């Protein structure tokens, strides 16, 4: 793309969002060379060119990533610790069919909020009769408290929610309530209804839980609340998404989360899991949680990725996640902009401190900037000014949009290659199982949902890799909030009662 700017070097700069009303950003004056390219743009251009080169994902790179994903999956299935991919057994052997009936609960703990949900299922004809959801935020002191405090807090919120049960929600007299428990922290699962917490992540520092069975912790806390309820399925959010999507569509074979972090799971044949010892599955199939965020083979990384990784709390880990997920895309862009600002007067002489602060620029910001189709990129200017304090002229804004696009394109295309890797592995094991018929990949997460260019790049990469014929059978479908109902459905399929 050319950076010859024909419009005047200064651009009128209108604040766009409500928060910016009343503040008029300064406009930078930029010297211009005879060629019409502003001097500052010309010095930043090599940084962009190198970035685009280093982030390039032509077909051979995508192919390598897809093949390596398939190979790493196999290695992780062979033995524990056999590859970057943990390939964790979910113990979910039976997926929802649509015949589920009765009242089931779900509890989702995965971040600063937790959600409780109840659903009344009416089998094939009536399907989901009614659903109610409540969200509760977890106070800071609970996130840093003791295990008992946390689980008592959860159980007490759940007890309050249960008290409001009524209307279309009916529990047969002789039964206990059953709940699915979506728990998005690293767990060593030991059965469908038990799992040992390996460590807290995402800002949780609750003492006393690591090494303990979290289902036992919750069951005990529910007992202390006098709550007549048991956990019948402990699942990860990806697995719950797959189950939720599968309830409506029997062709769902893979689920992918692209939100703050990323992960994927899929339906695997038990015969293809050498490390599986003594685990019997009546269906002959089980869901594997890949933990693909840890994938690292052959990724096109830049100096900016390496610096971000080195400064992270987990250097050398979660490299795929750091390249493709929402927590990091904005931060990579910010690091590139700092380099451009330091090396040129592209954003004026004074570089605001805010631009130098890690994680000031979020992925939602870079996504919003890419949606600006105006001639003078007003929204880009406003976002840059509001979020980082930077002034910009049109040339600088164009450059910023190119940087955002480069990082989103690499992320989306690599995520697409990862999906193809999973499908390819399944197909290699059993010819025709995914490519010979309609196959659905259920997608969820804020990044996938709210970043249209990212989504487009992901789908394009899948098409490029599979070719027109096979890709016409592969449906990549957004399954919004399937994970809540998915966990309740897994409580139903793993119920101790016949239904
Ligand atoms: P989580 O992954 O924390 O469970 P979500 O699935 O809702 O939550 O994803 C939230 C993430 O999605 C945010 O951290 C952000 O990276 C990304 N995101 C949210 N809104 C947008 C947006 N408008 N454009 C791009 N990415 C977004
Ligand atoms: Mg989530």
């Amino acid at each position: 793309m050319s950076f010859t700017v024909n419009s005047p070097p200064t651009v009128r700069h209108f604040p766009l969002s409500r928060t910016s009303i009343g503040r008029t950003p300064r406009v930078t004056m930029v010297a211009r060379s005879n060629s019409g390219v502003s001097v500052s743009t010309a010095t930043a251009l090599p940084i962009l060119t190198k970035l685009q080169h280093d982030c390039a994902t032509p077909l051979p790179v995508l192919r390598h990533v897809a093949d390596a994903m398939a190979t790493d999956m196999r290695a992780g299935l062979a033995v524990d610790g056999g590859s970057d991919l943990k390939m964790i057994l979910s113990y979910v052997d039976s997926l929802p069919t649509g015949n589920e009936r009765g009242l089931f609960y779900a509890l989702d703990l995965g971040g600063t909020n937790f959600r409780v949900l109840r659903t009344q299922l009416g089998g094939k004809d009536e399907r989901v009769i009614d659903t109610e959801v409540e969200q509760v935020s977890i106070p800071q002191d609970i996130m840093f408290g003791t295990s008992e405090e946390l689980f008592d807090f959860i159980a007490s919120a759940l007890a309050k929610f249960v008290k409001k049960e009524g209307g279309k929600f009916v529990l047969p007299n002789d039964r206990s309530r059953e709940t699915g428990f979506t728990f998005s922290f690293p767990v060593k699962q030991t059965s469908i209804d038990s799992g040992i917490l390996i460590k807290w992540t995402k800002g949780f520092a609750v003492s006393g839980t690591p090494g303990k069975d979290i289902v036992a912790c919750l069951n005990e806390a529910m007992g202390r609340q006098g709550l007549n309820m048991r956990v019948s399925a402990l699942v990860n959010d990806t697995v719950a998404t797959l189950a939720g999507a599968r309830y409506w569509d029997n062709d769902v074979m893979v689920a992918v989360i692209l939100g703050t972090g990323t992960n994927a799971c899929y339906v695997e044949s038990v015969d293809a899991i050498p490390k599986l010892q003594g685990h019997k599955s009546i269906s002959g199939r089980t869901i594997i949680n890949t933990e693909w965020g840890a994938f690292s083979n052959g990724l096109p990384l830049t100096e900016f990725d390496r610096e971000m990784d080195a400064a992270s709390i987990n250097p050398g880990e979660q490299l795929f996640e750091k390249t493709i997920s929402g927590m990091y895309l904005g931060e990579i862009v910010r690091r590139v902009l700092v380099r451009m600002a330091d090396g040129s007067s592209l954003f004026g002489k004074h570089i605001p401190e805010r631009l130098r602060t890690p994680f000031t620029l979020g992925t939602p910001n870079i996504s919003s900037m890419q949606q600006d189709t105006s001639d003078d990129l007003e929204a880009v200017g406003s976002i840059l000014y509001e979020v980082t304090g930077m002034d910009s002229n049109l040339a600088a804004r164009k450059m910023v949009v190119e940087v955002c696009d480069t990082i989103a394109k690499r992320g989306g295309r690599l995520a697409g290659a990862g999906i193809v890797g999973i499908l390819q592995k399944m197909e290699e094991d059993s010819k025709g199982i995914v490519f010979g018929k309609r196959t659905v990949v259920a997608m969820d997460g804020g990044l996938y949902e709210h970043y249209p260019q990212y989504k487009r790049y992901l789908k394009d990469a899948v098409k490029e890799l599979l070719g027109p014929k096979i890709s016409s059978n592969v449906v990549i479908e957004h399954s919004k909030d399937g994970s809540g109902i998915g966990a309740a459905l897994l409580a139903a399929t793993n119920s101790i009662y016949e239904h």
Side-chain angles (χ1 to χ4, degrees), residues 92-413:
V92 172
D93 302 337
S94 44
L95 280 160
T97 58
N99 292 321
E100 295 74 16
R101 281 175 182 279
L103 170 62
F104 295 94
Y105 278 77
L107 182 60
D108 183 342
L109 181 68
T112 47
N113 292 309
F114 81 93
R115 294 198 307 165
V116 285
L117 171 150
R118 71 178 136 245
T119 187
Q120 186 75 34
L121 304 171
K124 271 261 150 56
D125 300 328
E126 292 178 279
R127 289 280 169 156
V128 178
I129 296 170
D130 204 358
T131 302
E132 282 175 347
V133 190
E134 261 178 36
Q135 184 154 301
V136 186
S137 68
I138 301 176
Q140 247 351 60
D141 59 319
I142 296 286
M143 286 170 74
F144 294 97
T146 66
S147 194
E148 255 190 25
E149 283 163 354
L150 172 69
F151 285 101
D152 279 343
F153 179 83
I154 294 172
S156 118
L158 193 56
K160 281 187 202 130
F161 183 61
V162 168
K163 279 217 178 83
K164 290 183 256 174
E165 189 185 283
K168 290 181 179 161
F169 301 97
V170 244
L171 183 76
N173 280 334
D174 53 341
R175 290 190 177 189
S176 295
R177 288 179 189 81
E178 292 181 291
T179 189
F181 186 13
T182 308
F183 188 78
S184 314
F185 298 94
V187 165
K188 166 84 185 148
Q189 195 133 4
T190 40
S191 69
I192 185 65
D193 58 1
S194 63
I196 310 290
L197 177 71
I198 299 167
K199 61 174 178 189
W200 289 108
T201 55
K202 300 186 252 189
F204 275 72
V206 175
S207 62
T209 336
K212 276 197 193 147
D213 177 1
I214 48 164
V215 173
C217 292
L218 180 59
N219 279 333
E220 282 158 22
M222 292 194 297
R224 288 194 289 274
Q225 291 291 331
L227 193 58
N228 180 22
M229 185 181 286
R230 64 176 292 274
V231 175
S232 41
L234 171 67
V235 290
N236 152 289
D237 56 350
T238 320
V239 174
T241 299
L242 198 156
R246 180 73 171 230
Y247 180 69
W248 299 107
D249 189 338
N250 221 17
D251 293 336
V252 175
M253 298 294 274
V254 180
V256 175
I257 307 270
L258 287 160
T260 306
T262 182
N263 195 8
C265 71
Y266 70 105
V267 180
E268 182 59 287
S269 153
V270 290
D271 301 336
I273 315 173
K275 72 177 175 184
L276 189 87
Q277 282 159 353
H279 176 71
K280 299 256 186 317
S281 157
I282 295 165
S283 67
R285 298 200 289 181
T286 191
I287 298 182
I288 294 289
N289 163 17
T290 64
E291 292 290 334
W292 82 354
F295 177 78
S296 65
N297 194 328
L299 298 174
L301 299 180
T302 67
E303 57 194 306
F304 305 103
D305 300 299
R306 295 200 182 86
E307 286 165 14
M308 179 180 73
D309 176 48
S312 72
I313 53 162
N314 51 352
E317 290 173 23
Q318 298 295 103
L319 293 184
F320 196 47
E321 181 161 272
K322 285 170 180 163
T323 321
I324 72 168
S325 84
M327 178 160 172
Y328 303 100
L329 300 186
E331 170 61 6
I332 302 167
V333 169
R334 185 196 66 82
R335 284 173 179 271
V336 178
L337 298 188
V338 169
R339 178 70 52 85
M340 287 180 163
D342 278 340
S344 70
S345 55
L346 186 62
F347 303 108
K349 287 253 166 341
H350 303 287
I351 301 159
E353 217 29 58
R354 257 188 293 161
L355 180 65
R356 296 202 186 278
T357 312
F359 294 95
T360 18
L361 193 65
T363 302
N365 299 135
I366 68 165
S367 162
S368 300
M369 289 197 277
Q370 274 206 265
Q371 310 320 313
D372 185 354
T373 52
S374 68
D375 287 343
D376 43 9
L377 299 177
E378 283 176 30
V380 174
S382 295
I383 292 166
L384 283 175
Y385 184 76
E386 283 167 29
V387 177
T388 68
M390 269 188 333
D391 295 316
S392 57
N393 67 355
L394 181 57
R397 292 173 196 175
K398 282 191 175 174
M399 188 81 84
V400 170
V401 172
E402 279 296 303
V403 173
C404 297
D405 190 60
T406 305
I407 299 305
K409 184 176 188 177
R410 179 185 65 167
R413 286 174 67 80

